[in-house]
Amino acid sequence: MIRKLFGSPSYMVAWLATVAIALLGFTTPEYLKYWYMLSAMWLMNVFLYRHIVQLYSSKCFKVMYVLMYVLPLAVECAALMVPYHSWNPFFRSVSTSLVLTYVLFMQMVVAILGLGCLHHWYRQGRGKGLSAIARHRYLGVAYSLFAVCFACYMVGAVYGKNHLVVRHVSVAVDGLPSSFEDYKIVQLSDFHLGSMYNRHTMERIVDSVNALNPDMIAVTGDVVTLCSGEMTPYLSTLARLKAKDGVYMVLGNHDYAKYPYFPSPELKTADSIALISMIEDSLHWNLLCDQSCFIVRENDTIVVAGSQYIGLPSLKKIKLFGDNPYSYGDLNKTLAGIDAYPVVLLTHNPVVWTREVIQHYPFVDLTLSGHTHAGQMGLYTKKYSNQNVGYNDKTKAGLFHYGHQHLYINAGIGTSAMHSRFLIFPEITVIFLDNE
């Protein structure tokens, strides 16, 4: 059976080597691991194609299979002719998402039909292969699952992505001064402005936030996906965000222009500087880059602190590759000298809370993060409850606590990669601070 699957021992060796590289990919920096994953999927598709076509005689599968390679190749060729980051942001987001979604869903089809091949070879070993009815059942399951998944994607792209929800959360802060009782923080995160349909969508979000009359607005990173140009059409709209104590923001991993290709490092740096200039000079937001600010009411004070993006790789990554080149923040600098006050920390990556804050900074009362998008597609029945977690626990979205310390992960506004939100809606979070 194994020989049938791979065709020859050399194919088998190539396959096992690719799987090994894919597993090793989880110890490489940032997105490099996904190329190994794609290589493994590509080999699976190539090895199984001949057997699937022979067993099922499906012309539909042949067409779908060819499209799985033609579509990404077309996008790649277009990106080589016209730099990817210079595309219309919305068109770039939609086209990439559709291609990515199609390729991922086709992997399910290949896997199911490949399972049918294994079943057929097993029965052949016992004297009789799969019947025509059984083969059609495998085809029916594979295409039905593809259709259902793609339908869910389209519902999320047309409806879910624009179904804005407002969530109210109350957080007990130990030692909160009486003048800050019921202090209202509105959290926004992960705009990914390139994924917006138009400016009216953002206008509706801004109007909803201002209607809440917040004391403070916290923006926890990823305002753009690739480059600063995504923000330009929305400057006048975002400038209307108002709060009594101002708008505070930290940068996310996408805000450093590290994903698109630039002809030179100088152009990449210039794009990052342009984004910071828009935030500080055009929007007049308080951009916290490993800094803290004091908010005073009457004779009482709380602190809002913000770190630059901190990427925390696994211990294996640290051992193999040393310092993480995609981590920019410094928590020691961010939180220096503020332990005498109630502290609200803004940091894009929620892993910072479980692996750093609750272990080394017990005076941080509330941490606000984003980054996860709550998965964008799925159903998390408990994610908005106040869950107790410990060191290194995985967190997706919602409110978490460890002792007296709290973390809230906002599900985000925009989308990244997959241009869809199925059952995970864009979120505005209203957080009330209460005294224990």
Side-chain angles (χ1 to χ4, degrees):
M1 183 186 297
I2 294 177
R3 191 176 183 87
K4 282 185 177 181
L5 176 63
F6 292 103
S8 72
S10 60
Y11 275 161
M12 189 188 307
V13 171
W15 167 258
L16 293 175
T18 304
V19 171
I21 292 173
L23 295 175
L24 181 63
F26 282 102
T27 65
T28 59
E30 204 61 28
Y31 281 97
L32 185 60
K33 64 187 179 189
Y34 294 113
W35 292 108
Y36 295 129
M37 297 289 290
L38 289 172
S39 298
M41 289 193 303
W42 180 79
L43 280 177
M44 179 187 75
N45 297 334
V46 170
F47 292 152
L48 286 176
Y49 173 77
R50 176 169 56 90
H51 305 291
I52 290 173
V53 171
Q54 288 176 350
L55 181 61
Y56 300 101
S57 300
S58 172
K59 293 182 180 179
C60 180
F61 176 78
K62 290 181 180 179
V63 174
M64 294 174 69
Y65 181 89
V66 170
L67 284 175
M68 184 169 60
Y69 290 93
V70 170
L71 292 176
L73 184 61
V75 172
E76 183 66 25
C77 290
L80 289 174
M81 292 185 289
V82 180
Y84 191 57
H85 67 274
S86 66
W87 291 17
N88 176 277
F90 178 70
F91 174 77
R92 179 183 65 214
S93 178
V94 172
S95 60
T96 304
S97 175
L98 285 172
V99 171
L100 174 64
T101 302
Y102 180 81
V103 171
L104 289 177
F105 290 169
M106 270 301 295
Q107 301 311 306
M108 296 187 299
V109 174
V110 173
I112 293 171
L113 297 184
L115 185 62
C117 290
L118 293 173
H119 190 190
H120 174 68
W121 296 331
Y122 172 76
R123 288 179 62 86
Q124 273 187 329
R126 305 187 65 177
K128 188 177 181 180
L130 280 183
S131 65
I133 294 177
R135 291 198 296 269
H136 280 90
R137 284 175 180 167
Y138 273 104
L139 285 172
V141 170
Y143 293 148
S144 296
L145 185 60
F146 180 93
V148 169
C149 289
F150 203 82
C152 291
Y153 168 85
M154 292 305 298
V155 170
V158 175
Y159 169 74
K161 185 177 176 297
N162 294 292
H163 183 71
L164 187 67
V165 297
V166 180
R167 303 194 186 279
H168 294 78
V169 177
S170 182
V171 176
V173 176
D174 189 20
L176 183 72
S178 58
S179 56
F180 284 95
E181 187 76 22
D182 293 326
Y183 190 79
K184 187 190 298 182
I185 302 173
V186 172
Q187 183 190 3
L188 302 170
S189 192
D190 298 89
F191 291 156
H192 289 282
L193 291 171
S195 68
M196 291 289 170
Y197 285 109
N198 50 53
R199 198 171 62 189
H200 299 298
T201 304
M202 184 54 67
E203 288 175 349
R204 180 164 58 91
I205 293 169
V206 169
D207 290 339
S208 299
V209 171
N210 288 341
L212 294 168
N213 192 27
D215 292 300
M216 181 181 83
I217 296 174
V219 180
T220 48
D222 278 1
V223 291
V224 298
T225 301
L226 293 183
C227 58
S228 61
E230 295 175 19
M231 179 175 274
T232 304
Y234 300 95
L235 283 175
S236 60
T237 303
L238 290 171
R240 294 198 294 110
L241 280 174
K242 300 297 179 185
K244 297 173 185 175
D245 294 317
V247 180
Y248 294 85
M249 179 190 163
V250 292
L251 298 173
N253 52 307
H254 283 269
D255 297 325
Y256 292 88
K258 70 176 186 176
Y259 297 108
Y261 169 76
F262 288 92
S264 68
E266 291 76 17
L267 289 176
K268 182 184 286 284
T269 301
D271 190 83
S272 296
I273 293 173
L275 180 64
I276 293 173
S277 177
M278 291 180 191
I279 294 168
E280 295 182 329
D281 301 332
S282 299
L283 300 181
H284 303 291
W285 292 357
N286 300 288
L287 181 60
L288 301 176
C289 296
D290 300 333
Q291 298 166 306
S292 59
C293 290
F294 293 89
I295 298 178
V296 179
R297 286 194 171 180
E298 299 176 4
N299 294 322
D300 299 322
T301 302
I302 65 171
V303 178
V304 55
S307 71
Q308 296 190 75
Y309 177 71
I310 299 176
L312 294 176
S314 68
L315 294 178
K316 288 183 179 179
K317 288 182 183 179
I318 294 174
K319 291 177 181 177
L320 287 175
F321 297 97
D323 294 336
N324 184 1
Y326 298 113
S327 187
Y328 306 90
D330 183 343
L331 275 186
N332 287 327
K333 180 180 178 181
T334 303
L335 300 172
I338 58 175
D339 54 335
Y341 306 95
V343 176
V344 177
L345 171 66
L346 312 184
T347 185
H348 182 65
N349 189 352
V351 175
V352 174
W353 187 74
T354 54
R355 292 187 37 194
E356 292 290 335
V357 173
I358 63 176
Q359 299 189 44
H360 306 299
Y361 305 96
F363 57 88
V364 175
D365 300 283
L366 172 63
T367 301
L368 302 180
S369 296
H371 190 53
T372 67
H373 300 201
Q376 284 189 200
M377 302 183 73
L379 180 61
Y380 303 101
T381 56
K382 296 181 179 180
K383 70 178 179 299
Y384 296 114
S385 60
N386 191 358
Q387 304 166 71
N388 184 26
V389 297
Y391 298 166
N392 294 317
D393 282 358
K394 292 184 178 180
T395 51
K396 275 288 185 182
L399 184 62
F400 302 86
H401 74 271
Y402 180 82
H404 70 279
Q405 295 179 279
H406 295 84
L407 164 72
Y408 192 87
I409 306 174
N410 183 284
I413 294 292
T415 59
S416 179
M418 297 185 73
H419 192 77
S420 176
R421 281 184 174 267
F422 184 73
L423 300 181
I424 306 294
F425 302 118
E427 176 182 332
I428 296 173
T429 312
V430 184
I431 301 169
F432 295 93
L433 303 185
D434 293 325
N435 203 327
E436 289 185 325

